[in-house]
Coordinates of all heavy atoms in Angstrom, one line a residue:
S10 N 104.2 10.2 136.1 CA 104.8 9.1 136.7 C 105.7 8.4 135.6 O 105.7 8.7 134.3 CB 103.8 8.0 137.1 OG 103.1 7.5 135.9
D11 N 106.7 7.7 136.1 CA 107.7 7.1 135.1 C 106.9 6.0 134.2 O 105.9 5.5 134.6 CB 108.8 6.4 135.8 CG 109.9 7.2 136.4 OD1 109.8 8.5 136.0 OD2 110.7 6.9 137.2
W12 N 107.5 5.8 133.0 CA 107.1 4.7 132.2 C 107.6 3.5 132.8 O 108.8 3.5 133.4 CB 107.8 4.9 130.7 CG 107.3 6.2 130.0 CD1 108.0 7.4 130.0 CD2 106.1 6.3 129.3 NE1 107.4 8.3 129.3 CE2 106.1 7.7 128.8 CE3 105.1 5.6 129.0 CZ2 105.2 8.2 128.1 CZ3 104.1 6.2 128.2 CH2 104.1 7.5 127.7
R13 N 106.9 2.4 132.7 CA 107.5 1.1 133.2 C 107.6 0.2 131.9 O 106.7 -0.2 131.4 CB 106.4 0.6 134.3 CG 106.2 1.6 135.5 CD 105.3 0.9 136.4 NE 105.9 -0.2 137.1 CZ 105.3 -1.4 137.2 NH1 104.2 -1.7 136.6 NH2 106.0 -2.4 137.8
I14 N 108.9 -0.3 131.9 CA 109.2 -1.1 130.6 C 109.7 -2.5 131.0 O 110.5 -2.6 132.0 CB 110.4 -0.4 129.8 CG1 110.0 1.1 129.7 CG2 110.6 -1.2 128.6 CD1 108.7 1.2 128.8
G15 N 109.0 -3.4 130.5 CA 109.3 -4.8 130.8 C 110.4 -5.3 129.9 O 110.4 -5.1 128.8
I16 N 111.4 -6.0 130.5 CA 112.5 -6.7 129.7 C 112.0 -8.1 129.4 O 111.8 -8.9 130.4 CB 113.8 -6.6 130.4 CG1 114.1 -5.1 130.7 CG2 114.8 -7.3 129.7 CD1 115.4 -4.8 131.5
Q17 N 112.0 -8.4 128.2 CA 111.5 -9.8 127.8 C 112.3 -10.9 128.3 O 113.5 -10.7 128.2 CB 111.2 -9.8 126.3 CG 110.7 -11.2 125.8 CD 110.7 -11.2 124.2 OE1 111.2 -10.3 123.5 NE2 110.1 -12.1 123.7
R18 N 111.7 -12.0 128.7 CA 112.5 -13.1 129.0 C 113.0 -13.8 127.7 O 112.2 -13.9 126.8 CB 111.6 -14.2 129.8 CG 112.5 -15.2 130.6 CD 111.6 -16.1 131.4 NE 112.3 -17.0 132.3 CZ 112.2 -17.0 133.6 NH1 111.3 -16.2 134.3 NH2 112.9 -17.9 134.2
P19 N 114.2 -14.2 127.6 CA 114.7 -14.8 126.2 C 114.3 -16.2 126.0 O 115.2 -17.0 125.8 CB 116.2 -14.6 126.5 CG 116.5 -14.7 127.8 CD 115.3 -14.1 128.5
D20 N 113.1 -16.4 125.9 CA 112.6 -17.7 125.6 C 111.1 -17.5 125.0 O 110.7 -16.4 124.9 CB 112.6 -18.7 126.7 CG 111.8 -18.2 128.0 OD1 110.8 -17.4 127.8 OD2 112.2 -18.4 129.1
E21 N 110.4 -18.6 124.8 CA 109.1 -18.5 124.1 C 108.0 -18.4 125.0 O 106.8 -18.7 124.6 CB 109.0 -19.6 123.1 CG 110.0 -19.3 121.9 CD 109.9 -20.5 120.8 OE1 109.0 -21.4 120.9 OE2 110.6 -20.4 119.9
T22 N 108.3 -18.2 126.3 CA 107.2 -18.3 127.3 C 106.4 -17.0 127.3 O 105.2 -17.0 127.8 CB 107.8 -18.6 128.7 OG1 108.6 -17.4 129.1 CG2 108.6 -19.8 128.8
G23 N 107.0 -15.9 126.8 CA 106.2 -14.7 126.9 C 106.4 -13.9 128.1 O 105.8 -12.9 128.4
G24 N 107.2 -14.4 129.1 CA 107.4 -13.9 130.5 C 108.4 -12.7 130.4 O 109.0 -12.4 129.3
M25 N 108.6 -12.1 131.5 CA 109.6 -11.1 131.6 C 110.7 -11.4 132.7 O 110.4 -12.0 133.6 CB 108.9 -9.8 132.0 CG 108.0 -9.3 130.8 SD 107.2 -7.7 131.3 CE 106.2 -8.3 132.7
L26 N 111.9 -10.8 132.4 CA 112.9 -10.9 133.3 C 112.6 -9.8 134.5 O 113.0 -10.2 135.8 CB 114.3 -10.4 132.8 CG 114.9 -11.3 131.9 CD1 116.2 -10.9 131.3 CD2 115.0 -12.7 132.5
G27 N 112.0 -8.7 134.2 CA 111.7 -7.7 135.2 C 111.2 -6.5 134.5 O 111.0 -6.4 133.3
V28 N 110.9 -5.4 135.5 CA 110.5 -4.2 134.9 C 111.2 -3.1 135.5 O 111.6 -3.1 136.5 CB 108.9 -4.0 135.4 CG1 108.4 -2.7 134.9 CG2 108.0 -5.1 134.9
V29 N 111.5 -2.1 134.5 CA 112.4 -1.0 134.9 C 111.6 0.3 134.6 O 110.9 0.4 133.7 CB 113.7 -0.9 134.1 CG1 113.5 -0.8 132.6 CG2 114.7 0.2 134.6
S30 N 111.6 1.2 135.6 CA 111.0 2.4 135.5 C 111.9 3.5 135.0 O 113.0 3.7 135.5 CB 110.4 2.9 137.0 OG 109.5 1.9 137.5
I31 N 111.4 4.3 133.9 CA 112.3 5.1 133.4 C 111.6 6.5 132.9 O 110.4 6.5 132.9 CB 113.0 4.6 132.0 CG1 111.8 4.3 130.9 CG2 113.8 3.4 132.4 CD1 112.4 4.1 129.6
H32 N 112.4 7.5 132.6 CA 112.0 8.7 131.9 C 113.2 9.2 131.2 O 114.3 9.2 131.8 CB 111.3 9.7 132.9 CG 112.2 10.2 134.0 ND1 112.3 9.5 135.2 CD2 113.1 11.1 134.0 CE1 113.2 10.0 135.9 NE2 113.8 11.1 135.3
D33 N 113.0 9.8 130.1 CA 114.1 10.4 129.4 C 115.3 9.5 129.1 O 116.4 10.0 129.1 CB 114.6 11.7 129.9 CG 113.6 12.9 129.8 OD1 113.0 13.0 128.8 OD2 113.4 13.7 130.8
C34 N 115.0 8.3 128.8 CA 116.0 7.4 128.4 C 115.5 6.2 127.7 O 114.4 6.1 127.4 CB 116.8 6.9 129.7 SG 115.9 5.7 130.7
A35 N 116.5 5.4 127.1 CA 116.1 4.2 126.3 C 116.4 3.0 127.1 O 117.3 2.9 127.9 CB 117.0 4.3 125.0
V36 N 115.6 1.9 126.7 CA 115.9 0.5 127.3 C 116.0 -0.3 125.9 O 115.1 -0.6 125.3 CB 114.8 0.1 128.1 CG1 115.1 -1.3 128.6 CG2 114.6 1.0 129.3
I37 N 117.2 -0.8 125.8 CA 117.4 -1.6 124.5 C 118.0 -2.9 124.7 O 119.0 -3.0 125.5 CB 118.4 -0.8 123.5 CG1 117.5 0.5 123.0 CG2 118.7 -1.6 122.3 CD1 118.1 1.3 122.1
T38 N 117.6 -4.0 124.2 CA 117.9 -5.4 124.6 C 118.5 -6.0 123.3 O 117.9 -6.0 122.2 CB 116.8 -6.1 125.2 OG1 116.3 -5.5 126.4 CG2 117.2 -7.5 125.6
S39 N 119.6 -6.8 123.6 CA 120.1 -7.7 122.5 C 120.2 -9.2 123.2 O 120.5 -9.4 124.4 CB 121.5 -7.3 122.1 OG 121.5 -6.2 121.4
G40 N 119.8 -10.2 122.2 CA 119.9 -11.5 122.7 C 119.9 -12.4 121.6 O 119.4 -12.1 120.4
G41 N 120.4 -13.5 121.8 CA 120.3 -14.5 120.7 C 119.0 -15.1 120.2 O 118.9 -15.8 119.3
Y42 N 118.1 -14.9 121.1 CA 116.7 -15.3 120.8 C 116.0 -14.5 119.7 O 114.9 -14.9 119.2 CB 115.8 -15.4 122.1 CG 115.7 -13.9 122.6 CD1 114.6 -13.2 122.3 CD2 116.6 -13.3 123.6 CE1 114.4 -11.8 122.7 CE2 116.5 -12.0 123.9 CZ 115.3 -11.3 123.6 OH 115.2 -10.0 124.1
E43 N 116.6 -13.3 119.4 CA 115.9 -12.5 118.3 C 115.9 -13.1 117.0 O 114.9 -13.0 116.3 CB 116.6 -11.1 118.4 CG 116.5 -10.4 119.8 CD 117.4 -9.2 119.8 OE1 118.5 -9.3 119.5 OE2 116.8 -8.0 120.2
R44 N 117.0 -13.5 116.5 CA 117.1 -14.2 115.2 C 118.0 -15.3 115.3 O 119.3 -15.1 115.8 CB 117.6 -13.1 114.3 CG 116.6 -12.3 113.6 CD 117.2 -11.5 112.4 NE 118.2 -10.5 112.9 CZ 119.2 -10.0 112.1 NH1 119.4 -10.5 110.8 NH2 120.0 -9.0 112.6
Y45 N 117.7 -16.5 114.9 CA 118.6 -17.7 114.9 C 118.0 -18.8 114.1 O 116.9 -18.7 113.5 CB 118.5 -18.2 116.4 CG 117.3 -18.6 117.0 CD1 117.1 -20.0 117.0 CD2 116.4 -17.7 117.5 CE1 115.8 -20.6 117.4 CE2 115.2 -18.2 118.1 CZ 115.0 -19.7 118.1 OH 113.8 -20.1 118.6
F46 N 118.8 -19.8 113.8 CA 118.4 -21.0 113.1 C 119.0 -22.2 113.7 O 120.0 -22.1 114.6 CB 118.7 -20.9 111.6 CG 120.2 -20.9 111.3 CD1 120.8 -22.2 111.0 CD2 121.0 -19.8 111.4 CE1 122.2 -22.2 110.7 CE2 122.3 -19.9 111.0 CZ 123.0 -21.1 110.7
E47 N 118.5 -23.3 113.5 CA 119.0 -24.6 114.0 C 119.5 -25.5 112.8 O 118.8 -25.7 111.8 CB 118.0 -25.3 114.8 CG 117.6 -24.6 116.1 CD 116.5 -25.2 116.8 OE1 116.1 -26.4 116.5 OE2 115.8 -24.5 117.7

């Protein structure tokens, strides 16, 4: 079966935007929530 990869919601809730089923490929996310300062 395919791997099921969750895409993180860009906040601190720990939730997900959704799940994508994949094989033989990459799922890579960029977001401003990864590193920031105020």
